[in-house]
């Protein structure tokens, strides 16, 4: 919508959007992980593998579910990206706001990292 309303502004901003996205992601991931660094280290590899599997399997299942439904490649890829990139940061925020136990935030913090990597 913005590109239709203010195309010159969008063209001027376009070269900067990748770096803004990277900086935002690094800050978001860093903030989440920094708050839970000790429990993350204590949880070890099982937590890492579980969070990695969540994002990888979400993307793979989303892609192949669309393929099975005979959708075109563009739709399959879009669904795969959307299912793989569920908002772990939102989960971290919800856990912070609604649960008293600090360790409830740990899986979401780890998931934020794997979401950014995958």
């Amino acid at each position: 919508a913005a590109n239709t309303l203010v195309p010159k502004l969008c063209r001027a901003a376009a070269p900067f959007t990748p770096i803004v996205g990277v900086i935002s992601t690094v800050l978001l991931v860093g903030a989440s992980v920094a708050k839970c660094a000790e429990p993350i280290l204590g949880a070890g590899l099982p937590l890492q593998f579980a969070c990695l599997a969540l994002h990888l399997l979400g993307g793979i299942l989303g892609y192949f579910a669309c393929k099975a439904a005979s959708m075109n490649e563009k739709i399959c890829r879009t669904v795969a990206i959307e299912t793989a990139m569920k908002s772990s940061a939102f989960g971290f925020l919800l856990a912070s706001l609604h649960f008293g136990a600090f360790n409830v935030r740990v899986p979401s913090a780890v998931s934020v990292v794997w979401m950014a990597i995958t």
Side-chain angles (χ1 to χ4, degrees):
N3 198 25
T4 304
L5 297 174
V6 284
K8 288 182 181 180
L9 177 64
C10 290
R11 278 193 300 275
F16 303 102
T17 55
I19 192 67
V20 170
V22 169
I23 290 170
S24 300
T25 300
V26 167
L27 291 174
L28 181 66
V29 170
S32 298
V33 172
K35 290 182 179 180
C36 300
E38 192 173 319
I40 289 171
L41 291 172
L45 289 178
L47 178 61
Q48 300 298 322
F49 289 136
C51 289
L52 173 61
L54 170 73
H55 294 289
L56 284 178
L57 291 175
I60 291 167
L61 291 173
Y63 180 84
F64 286 109
C66 288
K67 278 291 189 191
S70 301
M71 295 182 182
N72 69 37
E73 184 68 19
K74 187 174 182 179
I75 292 173
C76 293
R77 289 181 183 187
T78 301
V79 170
I81 291 167
E82 289 298 320
T83 54
M85 298 299 166
K86 290 295 145 201
S87 182
S88 303
F90 187 57
F92 183 83
L93 176 65
L94 289 175
S96 300
L97 293 174
H98 298 290
F99 294 99
F102 182 78
N103 286 344
V104 173
R105 304 172 194 172
V106 173
S108 290
V110 172
S111 191
V112 167
V113 175
W114 284 113
M115 182 184 69
I117 292 171
T118 58

